[in-house]
Amino acid sequence: VFSILKSNGEIKYISTAVEKLFGYDIRELVGKNVFDFYLNGNRNRLEKILDLALKYPKREIMGDIVFKHKNGQEINLEVHMQNLLNDNSINGILVNFRDINRRKRIEKRMAYLTTHDELTGLPNDIFFRRKLGNCCKNAEREKKDFALMMLNIEGLEYAKYSLGYEAGNKVIIEVVKRLKGFIREEIFLSRISDNHFAIIIEDLKSFGDYEEGIKKIIKLFEKSFIIDRYEVDISVNIGICFCPKDGENAEDIKNKANIALIRAKKEGKNSYRFYSSKLDI
């Protein structure tokens, strides 16, 4: 969509493509102020783009905004604006609106694939590290404890080797289903590698609460998984540490949870260990 604006944002001209892209008839727009069709942050962004165009004549100014179609649908737009007020053939601000919905969808999908496990849809190690770092900062700022649980799932490799790769993936999906069915939606669950998962819990109040929750997670693995008519026995080991009691930065917290996990694995299947002996709240 091409448009020519006055310096105050009034629409002098707009191309017929506006009817297809925005749903408005040309007669509904010409003579109106372009800012009247945007709300809140998007109006502010468009105002800034126009201010820059007025400040820097002949330089093309670009930005992204969201426009609401006449039917209410939101459209992502790339705006190109150039000050041609001194050009006798234009005598206005030349604007080009481009529909970038498809590009935004692709960018969103790529961002999701970068930060999520393809098989389970869970946040991956990249997302986990970012989340853990933010939790550590919040713990320091708000003086709130949180726990990091590192889970090692035993038996997945055996399932893959004995039943095949696809069956192994089905086991992982069933493991995630059991975990999701137990933990609350606001609790962060991540798959950080093939058989390693991480859980971040921010709102429990006592050491006993954490221990009770861990025992319930372990109980989830006491029952065999039925995969393609086969019974598959899967076990879990859990290492737990607390922030800020056991460490104050993300790397330290992760390392100490892994140390606790190694200790739990030495004790056998379906075992857990805390890095520290108690939580003072």
Side-chain angles (χ1 to χ4, degrees), residues 23-275:
Y24 287 93
D25 186 276
I26 292 175
R27 291 168 295 183
E28 297 179 85
L29 300 174
V30 174
K32 303 289 180 62
N33 195 294
V34 70
F35 300 123
D36 293 341
F37 297 90
Y38 296 85
L39 297 173
N40 305 324
N42 287 294
R43 177 178 178 130
N44 294 337
R45 278 192 287 275
L46 190 60
E47 287 175 341
K48 288 179 181 177
I49 294 171
L50 179 58
D51 288 342
L52 287 171
L54 292 171
K55 187 176 180 179
Y56 301 102
K58 296 190 177 181
R59 181 190 297 183
E60 186 176 13
I61 310 298
M62 294 174 54
D64 291 356
I65 57 174
V66 177
F67 179 85
K68 186 166 284 189
H69 190 282
K70 192 174 182 180
N71 64 14
Q73 179 185 356
E74 290 187 345
I75 306 170
N76 290 285
L77 298 175
E78 183 179 83
V79 181
H80 296 247
M81 195 175 291
Q82 189 172 7
N83 182 351
L84 297 176
L85 288 166
N86 294 326
D87 186 318
N88 292 331
S89 61
I90 303 294
N91 190 26
I93 309 294
L94 182 64
V95 186
N96 176 12
F97 295 98
R98 298 179 183 174
D99 181 353
I100 56 170
N101 267 351
R102 183 173 180 273
R103 190 186 83 190
K104 288 291 185 181
R105 285 195 299 270
I106 292 172
E107 289 174 354
K108 187 176 181 180
R109 179 62 180 166
M110 291 301 294
Y112 178 86
L113 291 174
T114 302
T115 57
H116 288 75
D117 175 54
E118 186 175 2
L119 177 63
T120 64
L122 291 176
N124 63 13
D125 186 53
I126 295 173
F127 198 134
F128 162 70
R129 289 174 182 272
R130 189 184 304 164
K131 172 70 173 179
L132 184 60
N134 289 335
C135 286
C136 289
K137 291 176 183 177
N138 291 338
E140 181 181 4
R141 183 173 58 250
E142 301 176 14
K143 307 301 179 187
K144 289 184 178 180
D145 301 83
F146 74 88
L148 169 62
M149 301 182 186
M150 301 295 282
L151 283 66
N152 180 71
I153 311 298
E154 294 286 351
L156 295 179
E157 290 302 317
Y158 176 78
K160 285 183 181 180
Y161 290 141
S162 58
L163 301 180
Y165 184 79
E166 290 299 323
N169 282 344
K170 289 179 182 179
V171 175
I172 294 170
I173 292 170
E174 289 304 313
V175 165
V176 171
K177 282 183 181 178
R178 286 195 191 181
L179 288 171
K180 280 186 172 182
F182 167 72
I183 64 176
R184 301 190 308 278
E185 188 174 326
E186 62 269 21
I187 294 176
F188 180 82
L189 172 65
S190 174
R191 186 188 183 199
I192 57 179
S193 67
D194 284 351
N195 61 338
H196 282 81
F197 293 79
I199 296 175
I200 296 176
I201 303 179
E202 301 181 77
D203 60 349
L204 297 186
K205 300 300 182 183
S206 72
F207 186 85
D209 289 338
Y210 286 104
E211 192 162 33
E212 182 181 350
I214 292 162
K215 288 178 179 178
K216 288 180 179 178
I217 291 174
I218 288 175
K219 193 173 181 63
L220 296 175
F221 293 86
E222 292 179 355
K223 184 180 178 181
S224 298
F225 290 79
I226 308 300
I227 305 296
D228 296 338
R229 298 180 289 110
Y230 295 98
E231 285 191 14
V232 181
D233 290 325
I234 301 294
S235 62
V236 63
N237 292 108
I238 305 175
I240 313 98
C241 76
F242 299 103
C243 180
K245 180 177 176 58
D246 297 326
E248 296 183 354
N249 64 72
E251 198 62 31
D252 194 25
I253 290 293
K254 182 182 177 184
N255 289 339
K256 288 178 177 176
N258 278 322
I259 290 171
L261 176 59
I262 292 170
R263 293 172 182 167
K265 289 172 71 174
K266 289 180 179 179
E267 294 184 3
K269 296 179 179 180
N270 293 334
S271 299
Y272 66 93
R273 284 292 299 270
F274 291 91
Y275 181 80

